[in-house]
Amino acid sequence: MRITSALIDPALLDLPWHVPLEDWPADHLVALPQGISRHVVRFVKLNDVVYAMKETRERIAEKEYDLLRALERIDFPAVQAVAIATDRRTAEGEPLETVLVTRHLQFSLPYRALFSRVLRPNTMNRLLDALAALVVRMHLTGFSWGDCSLSNTLFRRDAGAFAAYLVDAETGNLYPKLSEGQRSEDIEILRLNIFGECLDLQAAELLHESIDPEKVVDDIVARYERLWHEVTYEQEVTKDARHHIERRIRRLNEMGFDVAEVSMSTTDGGYRVRPKVVDAGYHTRRLMRLTGLDAEENQARQLLNDLDTYRAESALRDEQQAAHRWLTEVFEPVVRAVPPALRRKLEPQEIFSQIIQHKWLLSERAGRDVGMGPAVQSYLTEVLVNKPDEQAVLGVDADELSV
């Protein structure tokens, strides 16, 4: 047996590689909800880290491993490739398939843990928005997925919304730029796969009766097309309305996209403008630069709003100084106030985002600013304590998850 690993963890060597993955003993496994997969997939916990193991052919595993590593280098939202185990054989010398090892994305949920009887229409909308944004970002990157689906996606909470992550990349390819044909093919695959997954949920009585699979696929494609148009369309601007260029760049920033440069050409009546969108993560990168905190895009936007409010109230002109004081005087005390027993419920940035929302609700009811201290205690005792552990969701049935 041979292991190629991007992350040195000697505990990987102690796993029963001579046994087919579907027969691995229970004492090596952890229970996690997962989507439909054509491969045998198991989850293993080593040194408090959960890994996903997928059995597949060697060539496919090597390609996916290399592709996930390439996506990691460009900071694309995908699971982290850890290792591939090849040349596996049973105790009797029979060959076994290669295993691709990825790091399980903490605080993430597969779609089957979210598409259930308790799914509300607004939750459905947030999931579709997250998936559409993932596919747009993927196509801007030059990545052709080849198997766009809910099963190949994980979702993390993002300040009232969701952030989507790519899980399975074995059919994908990374190019300098996608053609219209490649992009259209991905969208058609997305349509067919999601329709099939919705029918599967419907047959299993896991889909709310008000949700129509045909409307779901039409909706996700429409959301994708709207976002793609907003990010890429060429805009006609008159000579006396050049401020529209700045307005569009600000709008793209608000949507979370960075603009590297703007291509402009003159026309009879003014200018033709096309912004070059580099990638999503505008607010994430700004928060990281100012505070060192790593957060999802909507979380980062909300934390930055709180930071900007703190800066204004403190009359601090220097942004870096304000960020440091906000981190040490506001964010860190709130995170420390969460009891250890509750820290597996949600990640710290999501907890802080939800506390901000909770504080606003309490203040609206009271007709005054209730203050951060009372808001934190109220959130911990009335809200967080009733949430499931999303750090790993170990041993929780999908139907028991609250969305």
Side-chain angles (χ1 to χ4, degrees), residues 325-337:
R325 286 184 54 179
W326 173 85
L327 186 67
T328 56
E329 296 176 10
V330 181
F331 181 83
E332 290 177 351
V334 168
V335 172
R336 286 196 299 268

Side-chain angles (χ1 to χ4, degrees), residues 347-360:
E347 59 184 339
Q349 291 84 338
E350 179 65 20
I351 288 177
F352 189 88
S353 295
Q354 292 196 11
I355 287 174
I356 292 174
Q357 289 295 317
H358 190 68
K359 176 176 177 286
W360 180 84

Side-chain angles (χ1 to χ4, degrees), residues 100-131:
L100 172 69
V101 184
T102 57
R103 186 165 184 161
H104 175 66
L105 187 65
Q106 284 195 333
F107 300 101
S108 66
L109 298 168
Y111 80 101
R112 289 184 73 89
L114 294 166
F115 279 66
S116 66
R117 292 181 184 278
V118 296
L119 183 73
R120 297 185 295 271
N122 65 333
T123 305
M124 166 72 84
N125 292 333
R126 288 180 285 149
L127 289 174
L128 296 181
D129 280 338
L131 185 55

Side-chain angles (χ1 to χ4, degrees), residues 286-301:
R286 183 183 170 221
L287 182 70
M288 175 66 77
R289 174 174 57 82
L290 289 173
T291 67
L293 294 174
D294 188 12
E296 300 291 353
E297 185 65 15
N298 288 310
Q299 291 171 350
R301 182 187 289 109

Side-chain angles (χ1 to χ4, degrees), residues 84-152:
I84 48 175
T86 57
D87 299 333
R88 298 171 60 225
R89 293 187 176 276
T90 66
E92 293 75 27
E94 294 295 323
L96 294 172
E97 285 193 319
T98 296
V99 172
L100 172 69
V101 184
T102 57
R103 186 165 184 161
H104 175 66
L105 187 65
Q106 284 195 333
F107 300 101
S108 66
L109 298 168
Y111 80 101
R112 289 184 73 89
L114 294 166
F115 279 66
S116 66
R117 292 181 184 278
V118 296
L119 183 73
R120 297 185 295 271
N122 65 333
T123 305
M124 166 72 84
N125 292 333
R126 288 180 285 149
L127 289 174
L128 296 181
D129 280 338
L131 185 55
L134 176 70
V135 179
V136 167
R137 183 174 179 181
M138 177 179 70
H139 287 169
L140 289 171
T141 303
F143 183 80
S144 172
W145 199 346
D147 195 14
C148 306
S149 68
L150 291 166
S151 294
N152 292 335

Side-chain angles (χ1 to χ4, degrees), residues 209-246:
E209 60 183 12
S210 66
I211 298 175
D212 183 347
E214 290 190 12
K215 290 182 179 179
V216 169
V217 295
D218 288 342
D219 198 9
I220 182 65
V221 173
R223 289 166 190 264
Y224 166 86
E225 295 294 354
R226 284 196 301 268
L227 183 55
W228 180 262
H229 173 76
E230 180 64 36
V231 170
T232 62
Y233 80 94
E234 193 170 67
Q235 183 179 11
E236 296 282 348
V237 178
T238 60
K239 289 183 179 180
D240 59 348
R242 287 180 293 181
H243 60 282
H244 288 173
I245 301 173
E246 296 180 0

